[in-house]
Amino acid sequence: GAGVSQSPRYKVAKRGQDVALRCDPISGHVSLFWYQQALGQGPEFLTYFQNEAQLDKSGLPSDRFFAERPEGSVSTLKIQRTQQEDSAVYLCASSLNQGGRGGNGYTFGSGTRLTVV
Amino acid sequence: GENVEQHPSTLSVQEGDSAVIKCTYSDSASNYFPWYKQELGKRPQLIIDIRSNVGEKKDQRIAVTLNKTAKHFSLHITETQPEDSAVYFCAASGANSKLTFGKGITLSVRP
């Protein structure tokens, strides 16, 4: 596609509910990143894929967070037993080159705004 | 790990004036420094980036400078326009690929 597509755009979940957030990167982009952006803050790194391999998951805040990219294209971020502190915008970004340090840097999606009530 | 700090947190300038936004980083191994612009409710958009092997880069009204010794880099916007009003984030990354972002600065351009 023309850009990074994320769905849903908005998600309201009851505390304790499981959610799945989808990211469709730019076609052919090797690297895919998930970030969490709390209100008024900068994006915080969650995890990084190179093709289907999850190379870094050091930013995932707890074992309730799980991400996958089984075919090296679409990625899903799953949050189990959601808590109020999980409320944030979840941003996905992709990059043509390894590590996002190619000529174009990252391209971000519009994000999924998750509200846990 | 890397720590990126931005200052000031808000900046207000008159239309036509220049704006300078500064960032510092902690990890001397960082070698890539992008700047993102984020309008309210929208995605962060890359506006300019610089690598550690250069000291300055320009793109029309926007420039970025890097001082590796002092570990700081700055975004310069000349002839500011109201549509430059947004939140600007600096970031840094090294060999581990992930970007570490600053907290952002809100730039307001007064018409």
Side-chain angles (χ1 to χ4, degrees):
Chain A
V4 178
S5 177
Q6 290 188 247
S7 62
R9 187 76 174 88
Y10 302 93
K11 176 69 179 177
V12 178
K14 290 184 178 179
R15 192 172 57 180
Q17 186 180 352
D18 297 350
V19 298
L21 313 179
R22 176 187 169 107
C23 173
D24 205 333
I26 294 173
S27 179
H29 274 200
V30 169
S31 299
L32 185 145
F33 306 82
W34 283 98
Y35 282 80
Q36 180 189 60
Q37 187 174 25
L39 189 64
Q41 300 295 317
E44 299 240 352
F45 172 81
L46 294 176
T47 187
Y48 158 54
F49 290 86
Q50 187 174 322
N51 295 307
E52 70 278 2
Q54 189 174 20
L55 299 187
D56 188 342
K57 54 182 182 179
S58 62
L60 296 176
S62 77
D63 58 7
R64 296 186 296 105
F65 288 71
F66 172 76
E68 60 183 5
R69 193 186 185 198
E71 297 178 359
S73 174
V74 171
S75 177
T76 303
L77 176 67
K78 298 178 179 178
I79 309 174
Q80 297 177 322
R81 304 181 303 280
T82 52
Q83 304 294 317
Q84 283 191 316
E85 61 261 30
D86 300 334
S87 296
V89 174
Y90 289 85
L91 293 165
C92 175
S94 70
S95 174
L96 179 63
N97 297 299
Q98 176 183 343
R101 290 183 281 119
N104 295 323
Y106 290 10
T107 300
F108 278 93
S110 294
T112 294
R113 181 177 297 278
L114 173 66
T115 303
V116 181
V117 298
Chain B
E2 175 65 274
N3 182 45
V4 176
E5 294 190 355
Q6 284 187 249
H7 43 92
S9 59
T10 61
L11 179 63
S12 180
V13 298
Q14 191 70 38
E15 182 178 359
D17 287 351
S18 295
V20 181
I21 302 169
K22 300 178 182 179
C23 279
T24 59
Y25 63 99
S26 62
D27 188 350
S28 57
S30 290
N31 56 13
Y32 174 65
F33 307 92
W35 285 88
Y36 285 84
K37 175 184 180 182
Q38 188 174 33
E39 297 176 19
L40 191 62
K42 296 190 176 180
R43 72 188 73 195
Q45 291 195 304
L46 179 69
I47 55 171
I48 196 167
D49 56 13
I50 193 168
R51 302 185 190 282
S52 58
N53 57 348
V54 298
E56 183 176 3
K57 183 177 178 181
K58 288 184 179 180
D59 183 2
Q60 300 181 342
R61 297 187 296 110
I62 294 172
V64 56
T65 57
L66 172 65
N67 183 326
K68 286 174 57 181
T69 303
K71 293 200 284 240
H72 67 69
F73 54 116
S74 300
L75 178 70
H76 305 251
I77 306 174
T78 58
E79 300 171 23
T80 53
Q81 302 166 4
E83 52 265 37
D84 294 329
S85 297
V87 178
Y88 290 82
F89 293 99
C90 60
S93 79
N96 63 4
S97 306
K98 67 187 181 187
L99 283 176
T100 299
F101 285 82
K103 292 187 183 298
I105 175 176
T106 301
L107 174 65
S108 301
V109 179
R110 306 185 302 273

